């Protein structure tokens, strides 16, 4: 299996003024004259990590990473109840990405990211195809309401006890309704104990869903630092209760706009969070995309998935 590249530090970083008091953290590493690439992290609200840098050959890539609004090192942080979530939508994030591209003087860049990151990548590329050279997506999702319903209700058939605890984390009157909207309201509660309990219940459910993955890590979500956990759940509940402000099925419907953009879609066959059917649908609608199904991987990846990611990025580095 291919190993990731050695750890590397940014040669430049800053805070992008995105307006309305929002500052978006960004960093650049690798070769200043290399092929531009943008890392789009998951969550939403997960933040980028040093490990993301290591997927790229530092001699060939100019790698840009950023923390999406209100998470990671961006401010204000969503763990602060005063952070205004109405200023954090998919439309805001797409604007931030374009603002960052212009700020860094990038003409076209490769886009890399999975899970929620893949949704944001697809939305950006369909809007700005002329700004995208290639795309690499591990763990494909389009954040359709049907996918959201699967993750927070449908997959409960495999984990009935854990799902019941997740459902019972909201007030009784909300348990047969929109659970995600109920969690979103809890994450806006002025009582920090209410917010902390809701975040813990949410992450316990996320941990349950990935618990069967052969390469998974126990408590992968719950063991996050407290402020990061609060931000993740607050932003996730905010986005998913609004269907990420995307028209249902629009990203798949408009996949024709991606024509001419080479892509590799890499998905774990054992991904219960987002079954491989979503990646299959997208690949059928996007002739320039190659789909790779990794048999031993779930949503959290595996050595084989890492090898496929590195191989794709190394091949695109030569284009």
């Amino acid at each position: 299996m291919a190993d990731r590249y050695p750890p590397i530090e940014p040669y430049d970083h800053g805070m992008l003024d995105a307006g309305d008091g929002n500052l978006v953290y960004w960093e650049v590493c690798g070769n200043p004259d290399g092929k531009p690439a943008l890392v789009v992290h998951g969550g939403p609200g997960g933040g980028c990590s040093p490990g993301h840098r290591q997927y790229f050959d530092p001699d060939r890539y100019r790698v840009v990473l950023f923390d999406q609004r209100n998470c990671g090192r961006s401010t204000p942080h969503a763990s602060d109840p005063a952070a205004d979530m109405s200023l954090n939508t998919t439309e805001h994030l797409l604007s931030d990405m374009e603002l960052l591209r212009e700020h860094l003087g990038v003409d076209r860049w490769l886009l890399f990211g999975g899970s929620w990151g893949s949704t944001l990548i697809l939305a950006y590329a369909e809007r700005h195809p002329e700004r995208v050279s290639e795309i690499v997506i591990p763990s494909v999702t389009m954040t359709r309401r049907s996918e959201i319903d699967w993750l927070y209700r449908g997959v409960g058939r495999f984990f009935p006890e854990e799902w019941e605890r997740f459902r019972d984390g909201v007030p009784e009157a909300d348990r047969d309704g929109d659970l995600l909207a109920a969690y979103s309201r809890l994450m806006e509660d002025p009582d920090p104990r209410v917010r902390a309990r809701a975040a813990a219940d949410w992450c316990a459910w996320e941990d349950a869903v990935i618990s069967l993955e052969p390469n998974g890590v126990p408590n992968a979500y719950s063991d996050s630092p407290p402020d990061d956990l609060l931000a993740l759940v607050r932003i996730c509940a905010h986005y998913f209760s609004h269907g990420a402000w995307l028209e249902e099925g629009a990203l798949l419907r408009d996949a024709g706009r991606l024509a001419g953009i080479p892509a590799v879609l890499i998905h774990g066959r054992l991904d219960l969070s987002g079954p491989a059917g979503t990646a299959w649908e997208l690949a059928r609608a996007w002739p320039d995309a190659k789909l790779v199904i990794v048999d031993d991987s779930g949503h959290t990846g595996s050595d084989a998935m890492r090898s496929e990611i590195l191989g794709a990025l190394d091949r695109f580095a030569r284009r």
Side-chain angles (χ1 to χ4, degrees):
M1 296 299 173
D3 290 327
R4 289 188 299 176
Y5 289 94
I8 187 172
E9 292 300 316
Y11 66 79
D12 196 10
H13 69 279
M15 301 293 284
L16 181 73
D17 187 347
D20 299 314
N22 275 277
L23 297 176
V24 173
Y25 173 83
W26 60 268
E27 63 182 41
V28 190
C29 57
N31 182 351
D33 298 317
K35 182 187 185 74
L38 179 69
V39 175
V40 185
H41 67 70
C48 61
S49 71
H52 288 135
R53 307 168 189 158
Q54 295 178 250
Y55 282 108
F56 298 85
D57 183 339
D59 293 329
R60 298 202 236 183
Y61 276 106
R62 177 190 181 198
V63 187
V64 180
L65 302 92
F66 75 110
D67 290 332
Q68 295 160 31
R69 288 191 179 209
N70 305 126
C71 70
R73 289 149 290 187
S74 295
T75 61
H77 200 261
S79 60
D80 180 354
D84 185 355
M85 288 294 100
S86 72
L87 300 173
N88 191 337
T89 68
T90 301
E91 193 64 35
H92 286 101
L93 300 187
L94 294 175
S95 296
D96 292 347
M97 291 166 69
E98 261 300 89
L99 189 63
L100 180 58
R101 183 190 63 77
E102 294 169 355
H103 176 72
L104 296 176
V106 173
D107 181 43
R108 298 168 73 228
W109 45 14
L110 176 148
L111 303 181
F112 168 72
S115 194
W116 159 254
S118 66
T119 296
L120 195 53
I121 282 171
L122 293 170
Y124 177 91
E126 290 181 3
R127 180 171 298 187
H128 304 288
E130 74 284 357
R131 299 301 180 189
V132 181
S133 57
E134 300 91 8
I135 291 174
V136 177
I137 295 175
S139 303
V140 179
T141 178
M142 291 183 275
T143 315
R144 292 173 291 188
R145 285 164 179 80
S146 57
E147 296 172 56
I148 296 169
D149 185 69
W150 167 259
L151 177 56
Y152 295 104
R153 189 177 297 273
V155 75
R157 69 192 66 179
F158 293 99
F159 308 98
E161 182 179 358
E162 292 85 351
W163 185 81
E164 186 173 282
R165 285 202 295 267
F166 175 66
R167 181 201 64 190
D168 290 352
V170 305
E172 187 172 357
D174 295 322
R175 290 174 188 169
D176 293 325
D178 188 337
L179 287 179
L180 304 189
Y183 267 101
S184 188
R185 289 191 291 271
L186 290 174
M187 293 306 298
E188 300 300 321
D189 194 283
D191 187 340
R193 295 169 297 181
V194 172
R195 298 195 302 275
R197 180 63 189 175
D201 288 340
W202 180 289
C203 287
W205 169 244
E206 298 277 11
D207 286 337
V209 175
I210 63 171
S211 63
L212 300 182
E213 297 190 1
N215 301 286
V217 177
N219 302 317
Y221 291 92
S222 298
D223 283 347
S224 300
D227 282 353
D228 289 344
L229 188 149
L230 287 168
L232 174 70
V233 175
R234 188 181 181 198
I235 295 171
C236 278
H238 172 60
Y239 269 75
F240 296 155
S241 64
H242 287 92
W245 298 272
L246 294 169
E247 182 185 345
E248 182 71 354
L251 295 181
L252 184 62
R253 180 197 68 203
D254 295 338
R257 297 179 183 175
L258 305 172
I261 301 175
V264 180
L265 312 177
I266 307 163
H267 205 90
R269 192 177 301 281
L270 306 179
D271 190 340
L272 276 180
S273 301
T278 293
W280 174 258
E281 288 180 273
L282 180 60
R284 286 174 63 86
W286 185 2
D288 297 287
K290 174 189 176 184
L291 174 61
V292 179
I293 299 292
V294 183
D295 286 332
D296 75 339
S297 182
H299 198 71
T300 56
S302 66
D303 287 346
M305 178 176 277
R306 184 178 70 226
S307 184
E308 293 288 350
I309 294 168
L310 288 163
L313 291 171
D314 282 349
R315 290 192 298 274
F316 283 149
R318 296 191 288 268
R319 290 185 81 248

